[in-house]
Amino acid sequence: MPPIGLEIKIIGDPALRKVARTVSGVGPEDRSLLSRMAQTMYDSSGIGLAAPQVGINKAMIVADIGGGLYKLINPRVTYKQGKQALEEGCLSLPGICVKVKRARRITVQALDEQGEPVTVEAQDLLACVLQHEIDHLRGKLIVDYASFLQKARIKRQIKNLKKAANVCTVNL
Ligand code: ZN
């Protein structure tokens, strides 16, 4: 049986703006959480997900761009090189895309699900995804990178998003 998925928090939820707590001592509940996060990501056709997006205040992320699943605890970028700007979406901001400038190549140090240190060398899309997820751990969202004009447009989109969500909750 696949792990049970989690509910994804949408912009406006305070969980998305908190700084995630560092995990000290990786336990079975952390491993179970990582599996459920991965399941939630796959169920939502996402390529990355951070714990704050499912309302959990822990520094944990999962990512899979098709080359295998990463489950990372307390990830931090220790090296950056080059530049790229990709159109990014976010499971917590459905329907919204923002072009974000990020490093093209990065090194990430983290703990794996056994609590062992791991180093991930990433470039291009994977580097983008990991930087996006690590941003979530600092309460940072792609809208924060938007220009003044884009922000106005996104605000309108978010309003409509909330309207749509309300309609859905009263749908029979
Ligand atoms: Zn996101």
Side-chain angles (χ1 to χ4, degrees), residues 18-149:
K18 283 186 187 150
V19 175
R21 264 186 302 117
T22 302
V23 177
S24 56
V26 181
E29 70 273 28
D30 297 312
R31 283 187 281 279
S32 145
L33 176 62
L34 285 164
S35 297
R36 294 182 69 188
M37 282 169 59
Q39 187 64 40
T40 309
M41 174 182 75
Y42 292 130
D43 288 347
S44 321
S45 305
I47 53 173
L49 188 74
Q53 288 183 278
V54 290
I56 293 175
N57 186 235
K58 284 185 170 183
M60 291 184 176
I61 64 169
V62 292
D64 186 350
I65 61 160
L69 175 61
Y70 290 90
K71 293 172 173 174
L72 302 175
I73 300 167
N74 303 339
R76 56 194 182 92
V77 178
T78 55
Y79 176 77
K80 284 186 186 190
Q81 199 213 340
K83 285 192 185 99
Q84 63 177 336
L86 301 176
E87 287 276 350
E88 296 182 21
C90 179
L91 294 174
S92 297
L93 291 128
I96 290 165
C97 278
V98 180
K99 200 172 215 176
V100 182
K101 284 184 195 143
R102 300 191 188 275
R104 182 175 286 277
R105 273 175 293 277
I106 57 166
T107 302
V108 172
Q109 292 193 324
L111 298 177
D112 67 13
E113 59 179 334
Q114 305 303 326
E116 299 296 328
V118 281
T119 302
V120 180
E121 308 274 354
Q123 58 178 2
D124 304 322
L125 182 60
L126 183 60
C128 164
V129 173
L130 293 178
Q131 288 171 91
H132 176 120
E133 301 313 330
I134 291 170
D135 270 356
H136 273 301
L137 302 179
R138 294 185 294 134
K140 192 160 184 177
L141 301 171
I142 52 173
V143 286
D144 304 338
Y145 291 95
S147 67
F148 182 75
L149 283 173

